[in-house]
Amino acid sequence: MKEPVKVKILDTEYLIRSDESNEDVQRIAALVNEKFREITESKVGLSEKMTAILAAFHIASDYFLLAKERDAILQGMKRRTDALIEHIDATIR
């Protein structure tokens, strides 16, 4: 584990230890901070706990959407690869 990285989320500083690079930790913190800010600006009066839960939910939702898109791309690539292999096999027989 690397040295801790200082990040700021909702005006509070945290020291984060991670195997990720300092730049990646900063990018992750910036994303979390952005989600927190979006929620606090749109839903005034939420507790910090509820804000954290909603931010985690939004981040997880984004993750699953990207994972679904990635899986669709990989399936398309596999279909095209299989079709090319069949075409090559048919050609060389």
Side-chain angles (χ1 to χ4, degrees):
M1 197 152 294
K2 297 179 180 180
E3 290 296 314
V5 178
K6 188 185 295 187
V7 299
K8 196 171 192 177
I9 299 173
L10 286 184
D11 301 323
T12 302
E13 289 187 344
Y14 299 92
L15 287 176
I16 306 292
R17 285 189 189 269
S18 174
D19 291 330
E20 304 296 329
S21 70
N22 291 357
E23 295 80 20
D24 285 345
V25 171
Q26 291 294 340
R27 280 196 296 269
I28 292 165
L31 172 68
V32 170
N33 192 51
E34 177 186 332
K35 291 294 182 184
F36 269 53
R37 290 226 181 272
E38 287 173 7
I39 291 165
T40 57
E41 288 172 4
S42 68
K43 307 218 185 308
V44 177
L46 288 180
S47 69
E48 193 171 295
K49 179 180 177 181
M50 186 55 114
T51 301
I53 290 168
L54 287 174
F57 184 85
H58 285 271
I59 291 167
S61 177
D62 292 345
Y63 169 81
F64 283 114
L65 178 62
L66 289 171
K68 187 187 282 188
E69 289 173 2
R70 183 208 62 214
D71 289 346
I73 289 168
L74 289 174
Q75 287 175 356
M77 289 173 62
K78 182 174 178 358
R79 280 193 304 273
R80 289 191 303 272
T81 301
D82 290 345
L84 282 169
I85 290 170
E86 286 181 29
H87 179 71
I88 291 168
D89 285 346
T91 303
I92 59 175
R93 285 188 206 154

